[in-house]
Amino acid sequence: IKLDAGDVVSASGVVTRGGQPVSGAQVSAIDASSEDVTALATTNVAGAFRFDGLTLGKYVLQVRQGALTASAGPFEHRG
């Protein structure tokens, strides 16, 4: 999982497995402090996703596709 912070209200990234894009995966941004899911996105055919309206803070990303689940982080979204 790679996460690139854009402006203050959005963040985007790409999900890959074995160097190949993962299409149709659900990506959750989970607040590292409260453990609440604060944003959801689905990857496109290139494995790309985007969170709009994401507030600044620390997040753990969780990716689910079928029976597979992976987590990474925490990442800090500083704008």
Side-chain angles (χ1 to χ4, degrees), residues 14-25 43-48 65:
V14 177
V15 177
T16 60
R17 181 174 181 205
Q20 298 299 311
V22 177
S23 175
T43 59
N44 64 18
V45 295
Q65 185 184 43

Side-chain angles (χ1 to χ4, degrees), residues 19-66:
Q20 298 299 311
V22 177
S23 175
Q26 181 183 39
V27 184
S28 303
I30 301 168
D31 185 288
S33 299
S34 68
E35 299 184 3
D36 291 333
V37 174
T38 57
L40 294 171
T42 302
T43 59
N44 64 18
V45 295
F49 65 93
R50 180 179 176 98
F51 297 123
D52 290 314
L54 190 66
T55 59
L56 301 180
K58 289 186 179 181
Y59 296 91
V60 173
L61 296 185
Q62 184 178 72
V63 178
R64 291 183 185 196
Q65 185 184 43

